[in-house]
């Protein structure tokens, strides 16, 4: 079969003044708006945003699909992402260029996912602190295409709390974890994240904790999980290797219910990228071994994917 899985129109820029920016992204396949936001920058260090966008809660999800190191995100993204939400955000960068260079995000989100506004008591509050110990912000992008001679790294902590009708979020909006139905949920999430780029080497990692309490029944479900991913351009340490070739490996583990044994899900993915023109034109191949022990969606599989990713 042949199908178009992804086709989007996106664009934006500044209007009238360099501190006033707009951005929009429309999904032609799903016929829906994904992003529409306005951002005001004050003094070069403070950003104020209103609209709908992917929350900066986690690096893996905020990374554009076109700037990933592997064809798809890890299995942990399914359980822990905040995805796109309507809301209000402020972010500020402090001590720029110093060893304590940091950025802090505070966001008030709808808690109902894509294209839905807050209803009743629904709403999430997200906070993220990112420390940039090398005095430079690491962009939300996989692969060290710049072959940075000096290491650039980040360490981040993020926390989410609030009420929602959704036990999880995705590009489809407000959806539910396996075994859950729409209800009134009290959500709490905590994440620890690290990332490094240096001389063609790229590393990223996330560790998540999530608590979902059904406010109607009082039932509490706790989830833990995360992933580690590293990639490298081989010719940085083996000169005979082609310069456009990057190899990548990822390990991800998720326990969807810590009170229930024998349901841990695992992923091992090995991949390679051939960059014709950075992330705007690349060929990606990856092989995944997926172990799914969730009793509601059990089933192991091996997955091989080849993707040509081109942006015009």
């Amino acid at each position: 079969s042949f199908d178009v899985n992804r086709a989007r129109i996106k664009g934006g820029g500044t209007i009238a003044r360099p501190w006033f920016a707009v951005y929009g992204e429309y999904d032609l396949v799903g016929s829906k708006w994904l992003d529409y936001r306005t951002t005001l920058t004050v003094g070069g260090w403070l950003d104020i945003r209103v609209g709908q966008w992917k929350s900066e809660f986690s690096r893996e999800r905020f990374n554009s699909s076109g700037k990933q190191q592997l064809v798809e995100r890890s299995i942990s993204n399914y359980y822990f992402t905040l995805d796109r939400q309507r809301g209000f955000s402020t972010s500020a960068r402090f001590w720029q260029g110093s060893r304590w260079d940091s950025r802090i995000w505070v966001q008030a989100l709808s808690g109902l996912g894509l294209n839905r506004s807050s209803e009743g008591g629904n709403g999430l509050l997200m906070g993220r602190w990112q420390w940039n110990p090398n005095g430079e912000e690491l962009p939300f992008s996989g692969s060290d295409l710049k072959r940075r001679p000096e290491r650039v790294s980040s360490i981040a902590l993020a926390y989410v709390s609030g009420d929602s009708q959704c036990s999880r979020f995705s590009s489809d909006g407000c959806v539910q974890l396996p075994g859950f139905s729409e209800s009134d949920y009290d959500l709490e999430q905590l994440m620890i994240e690290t990332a490094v780029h240096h001389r063609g080497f790229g590393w990223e990692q996330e560790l998540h904790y999530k608590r979902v309490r059904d406010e109607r029944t009082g039932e509490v479900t706790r989830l833990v999980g995360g992933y580690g991913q590293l990639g490298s351009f081989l010719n940085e340490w083996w000169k005979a290797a082609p310069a456009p070739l990057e190899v990548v490996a990822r390990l991800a583990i998720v326990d969807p219910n810590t009170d229930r044994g024998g349901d841990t899900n695992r992923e091992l993915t090995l991949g390679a990228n051939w960059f014709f023109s950075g992330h705007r034109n690349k060929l990606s191949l990856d092989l995944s071994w997926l172990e799914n022990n969730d009793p509601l969606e059990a089933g192991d599989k091996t997955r091989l994917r080849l993707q040509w990713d081109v942006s015009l």
Side-chain angles (χ1 to χ4, degrees):
S1 66
F2 176 81
D3 194 13
V4 176
N5 289 324
R6 184 185 300 270
R8 299 177 178 180
I9 296 177
K10 59 181 75 174
T14 58
I15 297 179
R17 295 291 186 271
W19 46 265
F20 182 70
V22 296
Y23 179 82
E25 183 172 342
Y26 188 78
D27 179 10
L28 294 171
V29 175
S31 300
K32 58 188 176 184
W33 281 100
L34 300 176
D35 282 47
Y36 44 89
R37 62 181 189 252
T38 298
T39 306
L40 278 66
T41 301
V42 180
W45 64 277
L46 175 66
D47 290 337
I48 301 172
R49 174 173 295 172
V50 63
Q52 176 172 279
W53 70 97
K54 278 192 293 188
S55 171
E56 289 87 346
F57 173 65
S58 60
R59 174 173 292 273
E60 182 184 31
R61 182 61 182 117
F62 193 78
N63 281 355
S64 167
S65 56
K67 295 182 178 181
Q68 298 171 183
Q69 286 181 294
L70 293 166
V71 176
E72 186 54 274
R73 297 176 176 90
S74 74
I75 59 172
S76 71
N77 177 74
Y78 172 93
Y79 294 92
F80 301 107
T81 180
L82 289 188
D83 218 86
R84 287 180 168 89
Q85 308 258 347
R86 289 176 177 173
F88 173 83
S89 170
T90 61
S91 70
R93 188 176 175 190
F94 302 97
W95 309 299
Q96 296 186 34
S98 74
R99 185 173 181 80
W100 298 106
D101 189 316
S102 298
R103 181 175 290 275
I104 296 174
W105 287 263
V106 177
Q107 298 178 351
L109 305 171
S110 72
L112 294 173
L114 191 69
N115 293 323
R116 289 182 62 184
S117 299
S118 296
E119 301 172 4
N122 294 298
L124 299 176
L125 184 64
M126 192 282 288
R128 174 185 168 100
W129 168 62
Q130 179 177 304
W131 176 34
N132 311 304
N134 305 108
E136 179 181 349
E137 282 193 311
L138 182 63
F140 285 97
S141 175
S143 306
D144 182 21
L145 294 173
K146 293 184 178 181
R147 317 290 183 102
R148 302 170 188 271
E150 302 293 332
R151 182 173 62 253
V152 178
S153 58
S154 73
I155 301 171
L157 298 174
Y159 177 76
V160 177
S161 180
D163 297 316
S164 176
Q165 298 171 14
C166 327
S167 57
R168 78 174 186 94
F169 304 95
S170 79
S171 56
D172 293 323
C174 177
V175 289
Q176 307 300 334
L177 292 165
F180 286 71
S181 57
E182 186 169 310
S183 185
D184 295 319
Y185 296 109
D186 175 49
L187 301 181
E188 186 176 44
Q189 293 187 225
L190 178 66
M191 185 211 64
I192 301 173
E193 169 197 293
T194 61
V196 180
H197 283 184
H198 185 216
R199 295 186 60 186
F201 172 87
W203 159 263
E204 57 186 71
Q205 161 275 327
E206 292 174 10
L207 179 63
H208 292 268
Y209 165 82
K210 182 175 182 176
R211 176 187 55 76
V212 183
R213 182 171 64 86
D214 191 323
E215 296 189 278
R216 298 179 187 176
T217 66
E219 183 177 357
V220 176
T221 302
R222 295 178 176 85
L223 305 83
V224 295
Y227 77 97
Q229 178 175 304
L230 59 87
S232 177
F233 286 92
L234 292 179
N235 76 322
E236 286 293 318
W237 51 273
W238 181 33
K239 296 304 180 183
L245 177 64
E246 179 192 37
V247 294
V248 189
R250 177 171 68 207
L251 176 65
I253 301 175
V254 175
D255 184 347
N257 189 336
T258 59
D259 293 327
R260 184 179 62 199
D263 62 350
T264 300
N265 302 323
R266 298 176 177 85
E267 172 199 352
L268 174 61
T269 297
L270 303 177
N273 296 306
W274 188 281
F275 293 93
F276 299 105
S277 181
H279 283 300
R280 300 189 65 83
N281 190 350
K282 66 182 179 183
L283 195 64
S284 300
L285 175 69
D286 67 33
L287 176 63
S288 297
W289 293 269
L290 303 166
E291 179 185 347
N292 190 349
N293 293 310
D294 190 319
L296 297 169
E297 293 189 357
D300 299 346
K301 59 183 176 182
T302 302
R303 182 179 63 200
L304 178 67
R305 296 177 297 190
L306 177 65
Q307 174 177 283
W308 176 37
D309 194 338
V310 59
S311 298
L312 303 176

